[in-house]
Amino acid sequence: MTSAFPELPGLEASPAESRRSDVRAAARDTVSVGFGLFPLGLAFGLLLVQSGFAWWWAPIFSLTIYAGSLEFLAIGLVLAVTPLASVAMTTFLVNFRHVFYGLSFPMHRVRGRLAKVYSMYALTDEAYAVTAGKDPDTLSGRRVLFIQVFCQLYWVLGGVVGAVVGNAIPMQLVGLDFALTALFVVLALDAFRARRDIPTPILALLSALAALVIAREQMLMVAMTLFVAALMVRFLLHRRSGKDAVDA
Protein backbone atom coordinates (compact mmCIF):
# COMPACT_ATOMS: atom_id res chain seq x y z
CA MET A 1 0.00 0.00 0.00
CA THR A 2 1.50 3.32 -1.08
CA SER A 3 1.63 6.49 0.97
CA ALA A 4 -1.30 8.90 0.68
CA PHE A 5 1.10 11.77 0.03
CA PRO A 6 3.90 10.27 -2.06
CA GLU A 7 5.05 13.43 -3.79
CA LEU A 8 4.43 16.17 -1.23
CA PRO A 9 7.58 18.19 -0.51
CA GLY A 10 8.75 18.32 3.06
CA LEU A 11 7.80 14.72 3.83
CA GLU A 12 11.40 13.57 4.02
CA ALA A 13 12.54 10.28 5.49
CA SER A 14 13.72 10.34 9.09
CA PRO A 15 17.45 9.92 9.79
CA ALA A 16 16.85 6.33 10.96
CA GLU A 17 14.86 5.47 7.82
CA SER A 18 17.49 7.11 5.64
CA ARG A 19 20.21 5.11 7.38
CA ARG A 20 18.34 1.84 6.90
CA SER A 21 17.78 2.71 3.25
CA ASP A 22 21.51 3.29 2.75
CA VAL A 23 22.33 0.00 4.48
CA ARG A 24 19.90 -1.93 2.26
CA ALA A 25 21.22 -0.20 -0.87
CA ALA A 26 24.84 -0.94 0.08
CA ALA A 27 23.95 -4.58 0.78
CA ARG A 28 22.39 -4.90 -2.69
CA ASP A 29 25.39 -3.15 -4.25
CA THR A 30 27.90 -5.54 -2.69
CA VAL A 31 26.11 -8.90 -2.72
CA SER A 32 27.78 -9.98 -5.98
CA VAL A 33 31.14 -8.79 -4.65
CA GLY A 34 30.58 -10.86 -1.53
CA PHE A 35 30.35 -14.04 -3.62
CA GLY A 36 33.93 -13.35 -4.70
CA LEU A 37 35.40 -11.84 -1.55
CA PHE A 38 34.15 -14.45 0.91
CA PRO A 39 35.63 -17.52 -0.85
CA LEU A 40 38.80 -15.57 -1.55
CA GLY A 41 38.98 -14.83 2.17
CA LEU A 42 38.49 -18.55 2.80
CA ALA A 43 41.49 -19.28 0.60
CA PHE A 44 43.55 -16.71 2.46
CA GLY A 45 42.59 -18.14 5.86
CA LEU A 46 43.42 -21.66 4.74
CA LEU A 47 46.79 -20.60 3.33
CA LEU A 48 47.56 -18.69 6.51
CA VAL A 49 47.09 -21.62 8.90
CA GLN A 50 48.73 -24.07 6.49
CA SER A 51 51.77 -21.77 6.53
CA GLY A 52 52.08 -22.21 10.29
CA PHE A 53 50.18 -19.20 11.63
CA ALA A 54 47.51 -19.44 14.33
CA TRP A 55 43.94 -18.85 13.17
CA TRP A 56 43.66 -15.52 15.00
CA TRP A 57 46.26 -14.02 12.70
CA ALA A 58 43.60 -13.94 9.96
CA PRO A 59 41.59 -11.01 11.39
CA ILE A 60 44.82 -9.24 12.39
CA PHE A 61 46.15 -9.42 8.82
CA SER A 62 42.79 -8.39 7.38
CA LEU A 63 42.32 -5.43 9.70
CA THR A 64 45.86 -4.05 9.69
CA ILE A 65 46.80 -4.67 6.05
CA TYR A 66 43.39 -5.07 4.37
CA ALA A 67 44.68 -5.49 0.84
CA GLY A 68 43.83 -8.89 -0.61
CA SER A 69 46.76 -9.45 -2.94
CA LEU A 70 49.23 -7.93 -0.50
CA GLU A 71 47.92 -10.10 2.35
CA PHE A 72 48.70 -13.22 0.33
CA LEU A 73 52.18 -11.84 -0.38
CA ALA A 74 52.64 -10.82 3.25
CA ILE A 75 52.48 -14.46 4.37
CA GLY A 76 55.56 -15.31 2.31
CA LEU A 77 57.31 -12.06 3.24
CA VAL A 78 56.85 -12.69 6.95
CA LEU A 79 57.95 -16.34 6.72
CA ALA A 80 61.04 -15.31 4.76
CA VAL A 81 61.87 -12.58 7.33
CA THR A 82 62.05 -10.06 4.49
CA PRO A 83 63.81 -6.75 5.31
CA LEU A 84 61.45 -3.83 6.00
CA ALA A 85 62.79 -1.87 3.03
CA SER A 86 61.86 -4.72 0.67
CA VAL A 87 58.44 -5.05 2.31
CA ALA A 88 57.85 -1.32 1.88
CA MET A 89 58.85 -1.40 -1.80
CA THR A 90 56.67 -4.46 -2.46
CA THR A 91 53.74 -2.79 -0.75
CA PHE A 92 54.22 0.36 -2.84
CA LEU A 93 54.38 -1.51 -6.13
CA VAL A 94 51.42 -3.78 -5.40
CA ASN A 95 49.12 -1.02 -4.11
CA PHE A 96 50.29 1.84 -6.31
CA ARG A 97 47.10 1.55 -8.35
CA HIS A 98 45.11 2.93 -5.40
CA VAL A 99 46.56 6.35 -6.17
CA PHE A 100 44.58 6.32 -9.40
CA TYR A 101 41.46 5.07 -7.65
CA GLY A 102 41.48 8.12 -5.39
CA LEU A 103 41.22 10.45 -8.39
CA SER A 104 37.65 9.39 -9.18
CA PHE A 105 36.39 7.73 -5.98
CA PRO A 106 33.40 9.74 -4.57
CA MET A 107 35.28 10.72 -1.41
CA HIS A 108 33.67 14.18 -1.55
CA ARG A 109 30.39 12.53 -0.59
CA VAL A 110 31.78 11.29 2.72
CA ARG A 111 31.32 13.67 5.65
CA GLY A 112 33.38 13.76 8.84
CA ARG A 113 37.10 13.38 9.51
CA LEU A 114 36.93 9.86 10.94
CA ALA A 115 34.61 8.74 8.15
CA LYS A 116 37.03 10.07 5.52
CA VAL A 117 39.96 8.35 7.24
CA TYR A 118 38.13 5.01 7.20
CA SER A 119 37.05 5.53 3.59
CA MET A 120 40.66 6.10 2.55
CA TYR A 121 41.77 3.04 4.52
CA ALA A 122 39.00 0.86 3.03
CA LEU A 123 39.43 2.01 -0.58
CA THR A 124 39.92 -1.39 -2.21
CA ASP A 125 39.54 -2.64 -5.77
CA GLU A 126 36.08 -4.01 -5.04
CA ALA A 127 34.77 -0.88 -3.31
CA TYR A 128 36.07 1.25 -6.15
CA ALA A 129 34.56 -1.01 -8.80
CA VAL A 130 31.13 -0.98 -7.11
CA THR A 131 31.01 2.82 -6.88
CA ALA A 132 32.56 3.37 -10.32
CA GLY A 133 29.58 1.68 -11.95
CA LYS A 134 27.14 4.17 -10.42
CA ASP A 135 26.34 7.84 -10.87
CA PRO A 136 28.22 9.67 -8.07
CA ASP A 137 25.24 12.00 -7.61
CA THR A 138 23.10 9.05 -6.52
CA LEU A 139 25.56 7.95 -3.82
CA SER A 140 25.29 9.39 -0.34
CA GLY A 141 28.37 9.47 1.86
CA ARG A 142 26.76 6.97 4.21
CA ARG A 143 26.04 4.57 1.35
CA VAL A 144 29.67 4.79 0.20
CA LEU A 145 30.86 3.96 3.72
CA PHE A 146 28.44 1.03 4.09
CA ILE A 147 29.63 -0.34 0.74
CA GLN A 148 33.17 -0.32 2.10
CA VAL A 149 32.09 -1.81 5.44
CA PHE A 150 30.25 -4.69 3.73
CA CYS A 151 33.24 -5.39 1.48
CA GLN A 152 35.55 -5.58 4.49
CA LEU A 153 33.12 -7.77 6.42
CA TYR A 154 32.96 -10.29 3.55
CA TRP A 155 36.75 -10.43 3.45
CA VAL A 156 37.38 -10.59 7.20
CA LEU A 157 34.67 -13.19 7.86
CA GLY A 158 35.90 -15.32 4.98
CA GLY A 159 39.44 -15.21 6.33
CA VAL A 160 38.37 -16.15 9.87
CA VAL A 161 36.15 -19.01 8.67
CA GLY A 162 38.90 -20.28 6.37
CA ALA A 163 41.47 -20.19 9.16
CA VAL A 164 39.18 -22.02 11.61
CA VAL A 165 38.30 -24.65 9.01
CA GLY A 166 41.96 -24.98 8.06
CA ASN A 167 42.80 -25.79 11.68
CA ALA A 168 40.13 -28.46 11.83
CA ILE A 169 40.72 -29.96 8.37
CA PRO A 170 44.37 -29.56 7.33
CA MET A 171 44.07 -29.95 3.58
CA GLN A 172 45.14 -28.04 0.49
CA LEU A 173 42.29 -26.61 -1.58
CA VAL A 174 43.18 -25.65 -5.13
CA GLY A 175 41.35 -23.09 -7.27
CA LEU A 176 39.85 -20.73 -4.71
CA ASP A 177 42.34 -18.02 -5.69
CA PHE A 178 40.56 -17.82 -9.07
CA ALA A 179 37.65 -16.16 -7.23
CA LEU A 180 39.51 -12.84 -7.45
CA THR A 181 39.78 -13.07 -11.24
CA ALA A 182 36.14 -14.11 -11.55
CA LEU A 183 35.10 -11.25 -9.29
CA PHE A 184 36.77 -8.63 -11.47
CA VAL A 185 35.28 -10.14 -14.61
CA VAL A 186 31.79 -9.78 -13.12
CA LEU A 187 32.47 -6.21 -11.99
CA ALA A 188 33.82 -5.25 -15.41
CA LEU A 189 30.74 -6.71 -17.14
CA ASP A 190 28.43 -4.86 -14.74
CA ALA A 191 30.25 -1.58 -15.38
CA PHE A 192 30.05 -2.09 -19.16
CA ARG A 193 26.34 -2.85 -19.03
CA ALA A 194 25.78 0.29 -16.99
CA ARG A 195 27.66 2.66 -19.32
CA ARG A 196 28.06 0.89 -22.69
CA ASP A 197 31.40 2.64 -23.17
CA ILE A 198 33.22 0.51 -25.75
CA PRO A 199 36.47 2.56 -26.08
CA THR A 200 37.29 2.24 -22.36
CA PRO A 201 37.69 -1.57 -22.22
CA ILE A 202 39.57 -1.45 -25.53
CA LEU A 203 42.01 1.10 -24.09
CA ALA A 204 42.37 -1.03 -20.95
CA LEU A 205 43.16 -4.14 -23.02
CA LEU A 206 45.71 -2.30 -25.17
CA SER A 207 47.34 -0.85 -22.04
CA ALA A 208 47.62 -4.31 -20.49
CA LEU A 209 49.12 -5.82 -23.65
CA ALA A 210 51.61 -2.96 -23.98
CA ALA A 211 52.63 -3.33 -20.33
CA LEU A 212 53.07 -7.07 -20.81
CA VAL A 213 55.57 -6.37 -23.59
CA ILE A 214 57.28 -3.36 -22.00
CA ALA A 215 57.60 -4.44 -18.35
CA ARG A 216 56.31 -7.90 -17.57
CA GLU A 217 57.58 -7.78 -13.97
CA GLN A 218 55.77 -4.51 -13.23
CA MET A 219 52.81 -5.09 -15.53
CA LEU A 220 50.07 -3.81 -13.24
CA MET A 221 51.66 -0.47 -12.44
CA VAL A 222 52.72 0.17 -16.04
CA ALA A 223 49.32 -0.86 -17.40
CA MET A 224 47.50 1.44 -14.96
CA THR A 225 49.81 4.33 -15.88
CA LEU A 226 49.27 3.80 -19.59
CA PHE A 227 45.52 3.44 -19.09
CA VAL A 228 45.24 6.68 -17.12
CA ALA A 229 47.36 8.49 -19.72
CA ALA A 230 45.13 7.14 -22.50
CA LEU A 231 42.00 8.26 -20.66
CA MET A 232 43.45 11.75 -20.16
CA VAL A 233 44.29 12.04 -23.85
CA ARG A 234 40.83 10.81 -24.75
CA PHE A 235 39.25 13.34 -22.39
CA LEU A 236 41.29 16.22 -23.83
CA LEU A 237 40.44 15.22 -27.40
CA HIS A 238 36.76 14.89 -26.50
CA ARG A 239 36.72 18.30 -24.82
CA ARG A 240 38.55 19.87 -27.77
CA SER A 241 36.15 18.36 -30.30
CA GLY A 242 33.20 19.59 -28.24
CA LYS A 243 34.68 23.09 -28.11
CA ASP A 244 35.30 23.07 -31.88
CA ALA A 245 31.68 22.01 -32.45
CA VAL A 246 30.43 24.90 -30.33
CA ASP A 247 32.68 27.41 -32.12
CA ALA A 248 31.47 26.13 -35.50
Side-chain angles (χ1 to χ4, degrees), residues 11-94:
L11 295 180
E12 299 178 356
S14 67
E17 291 174 341
S18 178
R19 188 181 301 108
R20 285 194 293 269
S21 177
D22 286 331
V23 171
R24 289 193 296 267
R28 289 193 300 268
D29 294 337
T30 58
V31 64
S32 60
V33 172
F35 284 115
L37 280 176
F38 188 81
L40 190 62
L42 285 173
F44 169 72
L46 287 168
L47 177 62
L48 191 69
V49 296
Q50 290 171 2
S51 299
F53 291 87
W55 72 267
W56 44 265
W57 277 105
I60 292 178
F61 269 65
S62 298
L63 291 174
T64 56
I65 302 175
Y66 189 40
S69 55
L70 184 61
E71 286 184 47
F72 279 96
L73 287 174
I75 296 175
L77 294 175
V78 172
L79 291 176
V81 195
T82 306
L84 288 178
S86 298
V87 173
M89 180 58 67
T90 301
T91 301
F92 174 77
L93 293 175
V94 171

Side-chain angles (χ1 to χ4, degrees), residues 104-218:
S104 56
F105 188 75
M107 189 72 69
H108 62 283
R109 291 284 177 180
V110 179
R111 298 289 183 265
R113 182 174 298 178
L114 290 178
K116 285 184 179 293
V117 169
Y118 174 76
S119 189
M120 288 187 287
Y121 151 77
L123 177 51
T124 59
D125 301 319
E126 295 77 19
Y128 176 81
V130 170
T131 57
K134 302 183 182 302
D135 183 353
D137 294 332
T138 65
L139 293 172
S140 67
R142 197 160 44 203
R143 183 174 174 182
V144 171
L145 285 174
F146 280 129
I147 286 173
Q148 294 179 284
V149 168
F150 276 118
C151 286
Q152 187 169 17
L153 283 176
Y154 293 136
W155 175 257
V156 174
L157 289 176
V160 171
V161 172
V164 172
V165 171
N167 267 338
I169 310 174
M171 57 183 295
Q172 186 71 37
L173 296 179
V174 179
L176 279 177
D177 53 343
F178 183 73
L180 183 62
T181 303
L183 172 63
F184 284 122
V185 170
V186 171
L187 292 174
L189 291 175
D190 286 344
F192 178 76
R193 281 197 293 262
R195 302 202 176 190
R196 298 291 180 181
D197 184 11
I198 296 178
T200 297
I202 293 177
L203 289 174
L205 177 61
L206 292 176
S207 299
L209 292 176
L212 183 63
V213 175
I214 297 172
R216 181 183 294 268
E217 298 298 324
Q218 306 297 336

